Amino acid sequence: LNQLIAEWQPLEIILPENNQAIEALLPKHISKRLQPNWLNNPHSMQRILQKQFATNHLSAFGCDDLPFALIAAALAIEYAAKTQCRDMPHIRGLKRLSGQEYIQIDAASRRNLELEQSLRGESPFTLLKLLDTCKTPMGSRLLRRWLNHPLRQGDHLVQRLEAVQYLLSAVLI
């Protein structure tokens, strides 16, 4: 749990109510959003996701063997729809992240690499601030994700670099 929190740096976590064991493990700066325990029913969560993605089966997303991930995804969609007071039609699928796709960076390495925070705790003198010349917040978020989740496979890295090179050449013309 600590590794995931260091990697993703969430500000808020959705938890089933009456789960003091998990709550006690979370850092104090993370907001806890409690959901009723009845929402943790895999069948109701599956129906929520099927409705969201307009499909009868979730097997295409490769998450059949991850019932807790499906529950988490459905809870996140329900929470977002509730807090935004609207449906989320732009969320059209699930993506399974695996250790084979990205290099895992532990908290100590992340801190020493100064990706997003310097050893003194400052953010202006980090790799992200040095590289981030993105024009939009969405671009900055993508760059942040790329820095925190470096690709493991060379062919995917080459594809990414070619895409960036194409975009740079299109802008500079």
Side-chain angles (χ1 to χ4, degrees):
L1 182 62
N2 288 334
Q3 174 64 26
L4 289 172
I5 289 172
E7 186 176 338
W8 291 96
Q9 300 178 0
L11 298 176
E12 182 172 72
I13 293 182
I14 303 168
L15 295 169
E17 60 188 9
N18 301 325
N19 202 329
Q20 289 81 17
I22 295 176
E23 267 188 87
L25 296 173
L26 296 176
K28 302 295 181 218
H29 73 277
I30 297 178
S31 298
K32 291 97 180 159
R33 300 292 176 228
L34 303 179
Q35 296 293 320
N37 285 329
W38 63 268
L39 286 175
N40 292 337
N41 179 334
H43 297 295
S44 62
M45 296 296 107
Q46 186 173 1
R47 284 193 299 276
I48 289 169
L49 293 174
Q50 287 171 336
K51 179 183 172 195
Q52 176 70 31
F53 305 139
T55 184
N56 291 329
H57 302 284
L58 298 172
S59 57
F61 301 110
C63 299
D64 287 341
D65 57 334
L66 302 169
F68 294 117
L70 292 175
I71 290 172
L75 283 173
I77 289 170
E78 283 289 295
Y79 180 72
K82 185 171 90 176
T83 57
Q84 300 300 308
C85 299
R86 63 183 178 96
D87 290 336
M88 301 283 138
H90 60 284
I91 300 175
R92 289 177 252 151
L94 298 172
K95 183 176 180 192
R96 180 179 182 166
L97 298 178
S98 69
Q100 285 84 29
E101 193 172 344
Y102 302 102
I103 296 171
Q104 300 285 322
I105 304 174
D106 63 81
S109 298
R110 187 177 305 283
R111 190 173 44 254
N112 289 323
L113 288 170
E114 297 183 326
L115 297 177
E116 293 184 68
Q117 192 173 34
S118 72
L119 291 174
R120 293 186 199 162
E122 303 163 345
S123 63
F125 308 108
T126 64
L127 182 60
L128 179 62
K129 289 294 182 184
L130 176 71
L131 296 177
D132 190 358
T133 58
C134 298
K135 302 290 185 207
T136 65
M138 184 170 58
S140 294
R141 286 191 298 269
L142 180 61
L143 177 61
R144 179 178 180 259
R145 185 173 31 172
W146 284 0
L147 283 177
N148 283 293
H149 300 94
L151 291 173
R152 184 180 295 272
Q153 298 173 334
D155 56 333
H156 291 172
L157 185 58
V158 169
Q159 287 174 351
R160 180 182 287 175
L161 289 173
E162 287 173 352
V164 170
Q165 185 176 12
Y166 172 78
L167 291 172
L168 282 173
S169 67
V171 169
L172 298 176
I173 290 178

